[in-house]
Amino acid sequence: MQQKLEQLKQDALRALQSVTAPDALEAWEVAFLGRRGALATLMKGLATVSPEERPLLGAKANEVKLGLEQTLVEVKTKIEGARWEKKLEEERVDITQPGQLIETGHLHIMTQAIREITEIFERAGFVRSRHPEVDWDYYAFEALNMPKDHPARDEWETFFMDAPIDEKMGKMVLTPHTSNAQVRELQKREFPVRMINIGKCYRRQIDSTHVPMFHQFEGLYVDKGVSVADLRGILDYFVKAFFGPTRVTRLRPFHFRFTEPSFEIDISCGVCQGTGRVDGQKCRMCKRGWLELGGAGMVHPNVLHAAGLSDAEYSGFAFGWGVERTYSMKEGMNIDDLRTIYKNDVRFLQQF
Amino acid sequence: MNILASFEWIKEYVDLEGVTPEQVASRLSLSGPGVERLYPQGTEWDRIVIGHVTTVEAHPQADKLRITSVDVGSKTLRIVCGGSNVKVDQWVVVAMLGARVKWHGEGELVELKPIEIRGAASEGMICAANEVGLFDAFPHGEAEILDVGEVFPERAFIAGQPLAAFLEVQKDTVLDIEVTTNRPDAMCMQGLAREIAVVLDRPFKPVVPMPIEEGEKTLNVSINTEDCQRFMAVRVDGVTVAHSPWWLKRRLLSAGIRPINTLVDIGNYVMLELGQPMHAYDADKVNGSLTAKKAEAGQAMKALDGKTYDLDTTMLVIADEEKPVAIAGIMGGEETAITLETTSVVFEAATFNEVNIRRTSRKLHLTSESQSLFEKGLSTEALPIALARAVELCLTLAGGRVVTNIADQQTLPYKAVARAMHVEKINELIFGKQDSETLSKNTISSEDMEAILTRLGFEPVGTKNGVLSACVPWWRAHDIEADRDLVEEIARIYGYVNIPPHFPAGISGSTRDPSLVFEDRLKTLLKGLGFTELMSYSFVSRELLERAQINPEVCLRVQNPLSNDFEYMRPSLMPSLIQAVSENQERFPRQYVFELSNVYQQKKGDLPAEQPELVLGLTGASDAWNRLKGRVEAIFRECGIQVDAWRRLENDPWWHPGRSMQAMVNGNVLATVGEWHPRLAERWKLNAPLAVAQMRVADLLAVTQFSKTYKPLPLFPESTRDLALVVDEALTIETVQRVIEEANEPLLRDVAWFDVYRGQGVAPGRKSLAFHLVFSHPERTLETAEVDTAFARIRRLCVEQLNAGER
């Protein structure tokens, strides 16, 4: 009996050596370890041996069974492994082949700039509004403390519309700045006025640094007790959010009709870190370490009056800067010819 | 306006001992006019020195050249010289090797290298004035070198002294300063010095000229127009006009003005020094007394620039009893101009209306230094000082004697104005409202405010009951227009950098404009759908409109366009889109583009309607129209818009009659999609069919459903069957779908077309349409038999009603 068990073990192991496929392994399992397999058949003979021999043979049979089962698991693992290996080998690809070409869309650089500016100011509690591009002289100039004869109005190089002149509102113009929104917004009486107006503006100029249509963003904050300190706070916040946390601002005196006091805003140059020098040479990006961002100021009392507000009660600040110019001041955004922005050359558009 | 100011000159009016130009530039920029650039003087004269000619010999190979020996102190140089006036014992300007000169006064600076000229070696160059940038100071004839001994007869010379040191410019720096248009008072040396004195807190030394000793003769001037506020004149006889001394020339040159002769230079000097333009007439050529008045119709005058100007009755002139002798405030006449022969001069100082000066200047296309100051608005109170200063300089530099009274006419008496503001309000505007704790930290005391204003020349200044009051100095009368202007004066001198920033936390009183938010959402969606955004100018050409069959007459026109390309406000974005596609088509045969911008529709008696429009363009596929329609449908899906029907658009010049359609919602057209009419496409030479779509953003927003509604997921499985029908070519998918829906099959949940087939197995003139039919029941799992029955009934109905066959 013992011999038979040993023989069975040897036979089974020999048979297993030629097994390489999963179904053959299954057949082997049935033949040797199955319910009616060779081992089971042999075990039936256990009933005929003497009670003394029985525990010994039982133990032996169990040992053979466990041994074969363990070998089975090993072989099974090996076969499985080989099967996967083969399959995965077959599925191997050239990973240097470029991915499927997905044509993605592109938003215009101005849309992206406007979005970024809007988001920064919305976080500061300013809300974007919509105001006309074709507007009355009244809102574009008159209400902004620019009387008809004032030379400041020559500077704007305004486009006029071929349209009748309104008795009260004057000529119809293409607004040369987003400041036409100031009195319009104040007339809504939604205090505190915390407006960011981003829109198209128009001036009669075209060269590499001027386009006849461009975008400005206008900030207006009018409430009781608004101060120069508030303007400085908002400027610092915007410049750090837009250009980066290391940049600083400064105000310089300037002159605009619709603000008093008026300022020119400079930001420290990102190329020379505000030193005005790069490797011992004059920085080519800036003037003496500073870049001109644009104008700002405290809303002129006459502008408040035009909106029917008392300057004893209300004060505010305003600023208006070119989106193209401001965006060009970002690192890596130095667009040498602004006209490119509106040429619709897909090669340009796809860069953004 | 930018002013070039010599640092050495400025120092005449403000004590700047121990202060560098850089320090002035940094401090002044923060509190006053901005200093944009610094130009250290004489740096371009490196290795250019004074030399002494010791020998002159003929050049063996060239008649016009000489071989000279020039002592430059440390050594003697052998220089080949072509100067016609070179001679022994002459003091000259020598450019040594390595110096940079302008050859014959033209072109860029060139570095001098050892050279052989016609076989003779030359170790440098004896310079003409124009070769070292001094032509304006020392004009000369062709091929004449600068004879320093001749132009500086009174000076002693040292061979080898650098030219910059000899001309006393080496310590100077010219500051390029931007002065804003409201500050003509600072557009001169004294005015800038005053600003610097206040900003740096240094003593200011104003110009105090000798009073004029009037003569016995009578000089009359009169004003015959309200556009001249004051007119002063005085006559000096026995003057000798010559070239100005170097110091005067040098100062004019440093400010960018060319020296002419003593008297003209004096006028310009006073203008640069005090900001008050002056004019000088040759008194012997003036006929009778001078009058400021409007020109007569048809009058003309030849001005100092040699051109004749036709004048009209709006233009101010100064006229003698016969003729205009000056276009007032802009340019004098040639006939009465000062020449080297002049012996008798009338100095004029006047004040004119700034608007008149500006308009005349624009009309005549004639500008001058004088005009650019007058058009900013000047004070009548500057005249006596400027006139006295001119006479003082004249007596010193040109001699002569004042022979007349000082004529002085004034139509508008000057009255000084006081401005006042609450000290507390000033502080509040600068620092914001403060609680009692921070109050002392962030305020400017009334004493400090008074001190600042006093230094700026306000007089008297005082505070009473918390109100600061200050009388505006005459030179600031034009720009200190209102009480508020005091704030700027105080704050800028106090220093904006000293105002602590404060972030004003809070929220706006108004709400976001829903259409702006919607536009942004649409753009994001379109990018996701693979579209590239275009942005074109709002104005287009007449030609483009006409090419797109838009009548320009209905469009809003720009009265003064930059060019024909920018003449009409576009009533649609479509022409610009087509244009962009055509311009890009060679490089990009496949294009998915859109633009979302305002379009402009004229309105009678009001501003035009500005409406955002969305146009899309898709090219590069034979089924472009279908691809675009699918993307428009995706927009609708994203916006929660249910289209009632797509209606064919057949009779529109823009749209291909067989391939264009309109989405109908609530009985209105929401969007048009289709192929750009091939007849128009030809005008743009489009290479391939171009599908376009157009919709108004407001229409889209009006039917957009922002809110979503939740539907429970089906509890029981759905069963799908495909229905294929062979029908006539003309039969539309919509018709088949309607027949299926009208079967009113209660188990039918959804019908979706998925295929069309023509070809083998389908008769010509017929097509096979295939649909997915989805069946389900809300309360139980369907039996196969039930679905079979329902499907068969629908199929039968279709076959009957549509004359359909089956594949």
Side-chain angles (χ1 to χ4, degrees), chain A residues 105-106 108 111 115 130 133-134 149 154 158 160 162 190 192 194 202 204 228-230 232 260 262 344, chain B residues 358-359 429 484 488 499 502 504 509-510 515 519 524 533 535-536 538 557 559-560 584 598 600 610:
Chain A
H106 302 269
H108 196 272
T111 293
R115 189 176 276 190
R130 188 198 283 277
E133 296 168 32
V134 184
D149 280 341
D154 293 355
T158 309
F160 295 99
D162 191 0
E190 292 168 348
R194 296 171 76 109
Y202 304 85
R204 296 190 75 248
V228 178
D230 293 327
R232 288 204 65 194
E260 183 67 37
S262 301
N344 286 332
Chain B
R358 187 173 91 242
R359 295 208 167 131
L429 257 170
R484 170 66 77 89
E488 178 164 87
I499 303 170
H502 167 256
S510 59
S515 65
E519 276 182 28
T524 307
E533 184 182 13
M535 210 175 275
S536 319
S538 302
R557 201 183 80 88
Q559 207 172 53
N560 54 340
N584 282 302
N598 279 345
Y600 312 84
E610 288 175 25

Side-chain angles (χ1 to χ4, degrees), chain B residues 341-511:
Chain B
E341 285 74 45
T342 300
T343 58
S344 183
V345 58
V346 171
F347 283 108
E348 166 204 299
T351 319
F352 306 106
N353 174 283
E354 59 267 28
V355 177
N356 187 290
I357 298 292
R358 187 173 91 242
R359 295 208 167 131
T360 301
S361 161
R362 300 292 182 277
K363 258 194 240 173
L364 295 176
H365 299 288
L366 177 59
T367 60
S368 66
E369 300 281 334
S370 161
Q371 156 267 329
S372 76
L373 281 168
F374 273 125
E375 71 171 27
K376 309 285 187 307
L378 301 180
S379 173
T380 54
E381 301 314 286
L383 307 192
I385 306 165
L387 198 64
R389 180 67 168 144
V391 168
E392 180 184 64
L393 287 167
C394 172
L395 299 183
T396 314
L397 299 173
R401 192 173 66 85
V402 176
V403 295
T404 68
N405 60 308
I406 303 168
D408 185 359
Q409 291 294 322
Q410 188 160 3
T411 53
L412 193 70
Y414 172 73
K415 199 170 168 296
V417 188
R419 303 289 176 198
M421 249 186 108
H422 267 100
V423 171
E424 197 187 323
K425 178 78 184 171
I426 294 172
N427 274 318
E428 195 182 298
L429 257 170
I430 297 172
F431 300 103
K433 280 203 161 92
Q434 313 233 351
D435 53 49
S436 52
E437 263 174 53
T438 55
L439 199 61
S440 58
K441 231 186 335 183
N442 295 327
T443 52
I444 306 173
S445 69
S446 61
E447 292 78 18
D448 288 348
M449 291 185 184
E450 287 175 24
I452 288 170
L453 293 174
T454 303
R455 270 153 62 200
L456 282 165
F458 288 75
E459 173 69 36
V461 174
T463 311
K464 208 172 158 186
N465 300 330
V467 176
L468 174 75
S469 156
C471 189
V472 179
W474 57 259
W475 60 88
R476 299 294 304 275
H478 271 76
D479 88 280
I480 306 289
E481 292 176 313
D483 297 338
R484 170 66 77 89
D485 295 55
L486 295 180
V487 179
E488 178 164 87
E489 297 307 305
I490 293 164
R492 71 184 176 95
I493 303 299
Y494 174 79
Y496 294 135
V497 287
N498 299 320
I499 303 170
H502 167 256
F503 183 87
I507 55 162
S508 172
S510 59
T511 47

Side-chain angles (χ1 to χ4, degrees), chain B residues 635-650:
Chain B
I635 297 171
F636 292 164
R637 264 202 311 280
E638 195 70 17
C639 294
I641 296 170
Q642 291 281 343
V643 173
D644 301 338
W646 283 93
R647 196 176 65 181
R648 188 181 286 281
L649 177 63
E650 269 174 307

Side-chain angles (χ1 to χ4, degrees), chain A residues 57-102:
Chain A
L57 283 174
K60 176 70 182 171
N62 213 29
E63 180 203 312
V64 169
K65 185 175 181 235
L66 285 174
L68 288 179
E69 270 171 2
Q70 197 187 334
T71 314
L72 173 71
V73 169
E74 282 164 16
V75 173
K76 205 174 206 167
T77 309
K78 211 170 96 190
I79 289 175
E80 276 290 285
R83 186 171 72 91
W84 280 111
E85 202 173 309
K86 181 161 177 281
K87 179 180 162 63
L88 297 180
E89 182 57 35
E90 281 167 2
E91 287 175 5
R92 191 180 180 83
V93 297
D94 174 2
I95 52 95
T96 65
Q97 178 187 332
Q100 184 194 0
L101 183 68
I102 300 298

